[in-house]
Amino acid sequence: MTSSTAFEQAWELGDQVPGWLTVDQATMLWQAALRLGPGARIVEIGSHQGRSTTVLGIAARSVGATVVAVDPFVEGKLFGGTPTRVRFEKNVARAGLTDVVRLEASYSTELRKRWDERIDLLYIDGKHDYWTYTDDMLWSENLVPGGEILVHDAFSSIGVTLGILVKVLCGNRYVYVDRAGSLARFRLSQPGWTDRGRVLAEMPWFLRNVGIKILLRLRLRPVARLFGHDGPYDPY
């Protein structure tokens, strides 16, 4: 089976799970996982119902890696609480990944303080405020040298983008590589001026996304379409 065919089968399963992950973003996650080797560990922060977990899990199995899914399944209308966790576990089981995916039903900011395991790939899609995102980036203290960090809602969420400006643009630990929509890829490495320039080059796209969010909240979807956004959800 070719990698392309394997991905198509994985995405067929993943796409059945509700969530905010495009096929291009799933491809980026898939390829990042395939770059790992046997015994590697992927940490996913923010799993919801398991859309990205399914893609990462199937890719991880193919290379002999595992996935640690971190999600507190907060109660309430926004995140769904226990019912969301039940759906997550059913989706993982349906994909045949119960031996590949390990669930840690905890807040990432709390679990990080007692985490002592090596991480080979870090995927962040947790709470999008500045404080939580920058705390989640500290999981990289356990990341292997040169390891990759994938961040969803980068250059789309104000809190996440502010964190990128502070910790990536003005920092010395992370290099911005590229993105698929709002899914950005970083590498644990010291950046140069060219790397910092790539972050600044995304600012027009970020401002466009903020503008679209404002238009959607003002119920001006026809105007948002003029900027290439056709849909009821925020850009992702």
Side-chain angles (χ1 to χ4, degrees), residues 125-136:
D125 189 18
K127 194 174 179 183
H128 295 338
D129 64 274
Y130 170 84
W131 298 274
T132 304
Y133 166 67
T134 53
D135 192 279
D136 285 342

Side-chain angles (χ1 to χ4, degrees), residues 5 9 11 29 33 58 60 65 129 149 154 158 164 174 189 193:
T5 302
Q9 294 180 356
W11 180 240
L29 292 178
I58 295 175
D129 64 274
I149 307 167
I158 292 175
I164 290 171
Y174 311 106
S189 180
W193 289 110

Side-chain angles (χ1 to χ4, degrees), residues 66-84:
T66 56
V67 178
V68 179
V70 181
D71 198 305
F73 297 104
V74 177
E75 298 293 341
K77 183 178 180 180
L78 183 60
F79 299 107
T82 301
T84 298

